[in-house]
Amino acid sequence: MNERLWSILIESFPKLLGYGIRVTVPLTIFSFAIALVVALLVALVQYAKVRGLQKLCRFYIWITRGTPLLVQLYIVFFGFPSIGIKLPAFTAAMLVLGFNEGAYMSETIRGALESVSRGQIEAGYCVGLTFPKIMWHVALPQAFRTAFPALGNSMISMLKETSMAATISVMEMFRQAQVINGRVYESLGLYLEVALIYLIFCTFLTFLQRKGEKRLSSYGGRNS
Amino acid sequence: MMLEIRDVKKGFDSLQVLDGISFDVNKSDVVAILGPSGSGKTTLFRCLNFLEKADSGTMVFDGRTFDLNKATKADIAELRKKTAFVFQNYNLFLNKTVLDNVTLGLTAGAGMKKHDAVAIAKQMLEKVGMADKLSSYPSQLSGGQQQRVAIARALASKPEIIFFDEPTSALDPELIGEVLNVMRQLAEEGMTMLVVTHEMSFARNVSSKVIFIEDGHIVEAGPSKEFFANPKEERTKAFLRSIEYES
């Protein structure tokens, strides 16, 4: 490898990492928070079979899972201004990523809720709890444990999907790599470098996921 | 009369599981409900606690009449405050410790202060011999221990009546005694109990009344001494003979 490439890589590394920490990571965290709230509400509506809303939720999942993320980003960022909704690029990316992943995560949480045994719910009723309280104290904590590995996966894939925000002009880590490359024309080196930083972030998330799983298993195996 | 059950009916598709069950329970009665598997005993209990909706039937509890088919949410909530249920599979909250299993209904259900709920829970767990396992999770306990915690949880709300749905059927034989002993102690203290059971020694020695159900109706009912000493119905005699062989 020649010296020029080396110095480009060494110089760009802190820059890329900086954008990663300042933009990619917050975008992931905010989008994931939105996704989690949306997923929880959608899962609960379906689990509790709330009429009317249930149909709306199925519709949302259908649309979101059936269309590409990239197309959704374009519709919201480039399309919505023509109907008077003009969002900053970061906000648009955050909302689209959140609602997109939320659709997948709602199915994860719904499945986990449905795996909580009927007896747990009935015992809740019998000690005088209402449905929302049973959800909060008994069913959701148990479902969360079941869903945790899959939710971890969602977060990891979301972190990588934030790179799509580059296409709607969000100056995040990947967009920054493109910008630098436009100046120095070292595609292979720069894109490998940015891939490495994504890998570092994802490895860290995987590590957190493992720790979380260990913590959650404190109440031991399931039975009956 | 504390509890009057009248004409409970419940069918699933073409199968009539309960075909008009009626009986009365007095305060401090311990009623053993016997019958072969599939006779409708568990369904009856589930209907009386509104875990299933009966097709028809009424229950008079403490002078108030509840329609088992049309009870409102408020009625059901009121009734559940005064009753408690012990399940065959214990159904302890798997994500809660022993102590939290007992306090949850008091705090989140009845709105009691945590401090008071803990005091009551400890007292009830003491009673069932589980006071040394307060911070264990259900998965760390044996079946017998779990069922005793479930009984403490049932007692905590100070119910007027406790329904036991085959409380020992899921237990290993050597663990049955510890649960039955707790139940016997409750009976001696005057707790009103309805018990679906296959434990004939319990029905014979602890219960005051026996109801024998088959195919959704009551074949025979009476004071337990009489039921075992002089069964009237041919079907009852056959049933008692068949379990004699087992024991």
Side-chain angles (χ1 to χ4, degrees):
Chain A
M1 230 191 273
N2 61 44
E3 250 171 61
R4 175 177 174 266
L5 179 57
W6 262 122
S7 68
I8 288 173
L9 292 183
I10 289 168
E11 210 175 300
S12 57
F13 189 84
K15 243 188 194 161
L16 290 174
L17 189 65
Y19 275 94
I21 290 168
R22 284 196 317 270
V23 187
T24 297
V25 170
L27 184 56
T28 307
I29 291 172
F30 292 144
S31 301
F32 191 79
I34 291 172
L36 202 57
V37 172
V38 169
L40 207 56
L41 291 176
V42 170
L44 279 172
V45 162
Q46 300 206 71
Y47 181 78
K49 301 191 171 63
V50 184
R51 253 181 244 165
L53 281 180
Q54 201 181 0
K55 281 232 171 76
L56 189 72
C57 290
R58 291 310 311 171
F59 182 75
Y60 153 69
I61 293 171
W62 177 62
I63 292 287
T64 316
R65 290 200 306 189
T67 57
L69 175 63
L70 186 60
V71 175
Q72 293 167 10
L73 280 168
Y74 271 52
I75 290 172
V76 171
F77 185 67
F78 296 115
F80 277 14
S82 69
I83 53 168
I85 305 173
K86 213 170 171 289
L87 298 170
F90 186 88
T91 313
M94 184 177 81
L95 289 174
V96 170
L97 282 167
F99 277 87
N100 182 281
E101 199 60 45
Y104 295 93
M105 282 161 53
S106 75
E107 292 289 89
T108 303
I109 296 176
R110 183 176 64 90
L113 269 175
E114 274 162 13
S115 76
V116 174
S117 94
R118 191 71 213 143
Q120 296 285 304
I121 314 294
E122 289 179 350
Y125 280 125
C126 286
V127 300
L129 300 183
T130 55
F131 181 78
K133 291 207 164 137
I134 294 172
M135 287 297 110
W136 180 252
H137 292 284
V138 180
L140 280 174
Q142 292 183 31
F144 183 65
R145 182 167 106 148
T146 311
F148 189 81
L151 294 180
N153 277 348
S154 288
M155 192 164 188
I156 288 170
S157 69
M158 186 176 256
L159 182 108
K160 292 174 296 177
E161 280 166 358
T162 56
S163 61
M164 293 243 205
T167 62
I168 59 166
S169 82
V170 175
M171 187 51 88
E172 44 67 74
M173 188 162 66
F174 180 61
R175 181 94 187 95
Q176 182 59 26
Q178 287 179 318
V179 168
I180 297 173
N181 188 45
R183 249 188 301 121
V184 299
Y185 297 108
E186 281 293 351
S187 297
L188 181 64
L190 277 170
Y191 293 145
L192 279 176
E193 185 176 44
V194 80
L196 176 73
I197 302 176
Y198 278 112
L199 188 62
I200 293 169
F201 285 169
C202 287
T203 307
F204 182 65
L205 279 183
T206 310
F207 167 77
L208 285 185
Q209 186 181 0
R210 290 245 178 80
K211 280 221 133 174
E213 270 173 53
K214 262 202 196 127
R215 246 190 112 131
L216 280 173
S217 70
S218 64
Y219 63 88
R222 7 183 95 242
N223 58 6
S224 66
Chain B
M1 204 74 66
M2 182 178 189
L3 182 69
E4 296 170 36
I5 308 295
R6 288 294 172 270
D7 209 22
V8 182
K9 289 187 180 167
K10 170 77 180 172
F12 293 104
D13 299 322
S14 60
L15 185 69
Q16 193 65 30
V17 181
L18 298 175
D19 198 9
I21 301 272
S22 305
F23 62 93
D24 296 330
V25 180
N26 288 310
K27 194 162 169 35
S28 297
D29 270 352
V30 176
V31 182
I33 298 175
L34 311 179
S37 297
S39 56
K41 302 164 307 226
T42 292
T43 305
L44 172 68
F45 265 32
R46 293 176 61 81
C47 287
L48 297 182
N49 253 277
F50 299 96
L51 294 174
E52 305 268 359
K53 197 185 234 184
D55 299 333
S56 64
T58 58
M59 159 157 65
V60 181
F61 185 76
D62 265 356
R64 277 202 58 192
T65 305
F66 298 89
D67 185 320
L68 292 176
N69 183 253
K70 296 192 188 69
T72 62
K73 269 193 176 164
D75 282 342
I76 296 174
E78 152 126 28
L79 199 92
R80 281 186 177 143
K81 252 183 232 162
K82 297 180 181 172
T83 62
F85 204 97
V86 174
F87 296 86
Q88 179 175 354
N89 296 320
Y90 339 122
N91 286 341
L92 291 181
F93 304 123
L94 299 178
N95 58 321
K96 301 275 176 201
T97 62
V98 164
L99 183 65
D100 289 345
N101 259 281
V102 184
T103 57
L104 185 63
L106 300 176
T107 53
M112 192 182 284
K113 285 214 180 74
K114 180 96 187 165
H115 177 79
D116 300 333
V118 167
I120 291 175
K122 282 187 174 161
Q123 187 192 336
M124 294 308 161
L125 286 164
E126 183 77 42
K127 201 181 178 90
V128 300
M130 289 297 294
D132 56 336
K133 297 273 187 194
L134 296 183
S135 50
S136 299
Y137 284 94
S139 60
Q140 298 165 326
L141 304 177
S142 73
Q145 290 174 322
Q146 290 190 59
Q147 196 61 295
R148 284 187 283 144
V149 174
I151 293 173
R153 178 172 74 177
L155 289 170
S157 61
K158 307 253 156 69
E160 290 174 37
I161 184 162
I162 304 181
F163 293 83
F164 291 83
D165 182 16
E166 303 201 26
T168 58
S169 295
L171 296 176
D172 290 336
E174 76 269 22
L175 302 176
I176 290 174
E178 61 187 76
V179 172
L180 289 181
N181 282 337
V182 169
M183 291 171 63
R184 177 198 287 269
Q185 183 196 336
L186 293 180
E188 282 164 3
E189 290 169 10
M191 175 60 78
T192 312
M193 297 154 68
L194 258 67
V195 187
V196 169
T197 186
H198 295 291
E199 290 302 321
M200 289 308 135
S201 65
F202 181 84
R204 197 191 299 259
N205 302 321
V206 182
S207 72
S208 52
K209 260 187 202 167
V210 174
I211 296 174
F212 176 55
I213 297 182
E214 189 173 49
D215 294 334
H217 14 223
I218 296 180
V219 176
E220 185 164 349
S224 61
K225 287 216 172 55
E226 212 174 298
F227 179 91
F228 283 100
N230 302 303
K232 290 183 193 68
E233 302 291 328
E234 226 16 78
R235 183 63 194 93
T236 316
K237 288 176 193 165
F239 177 75
L240 289 176
R241 269 200 307 278
S242 73
I243 52 175
E244 272 332 306
Y245 287 127
E246 280 173 22
S247 47

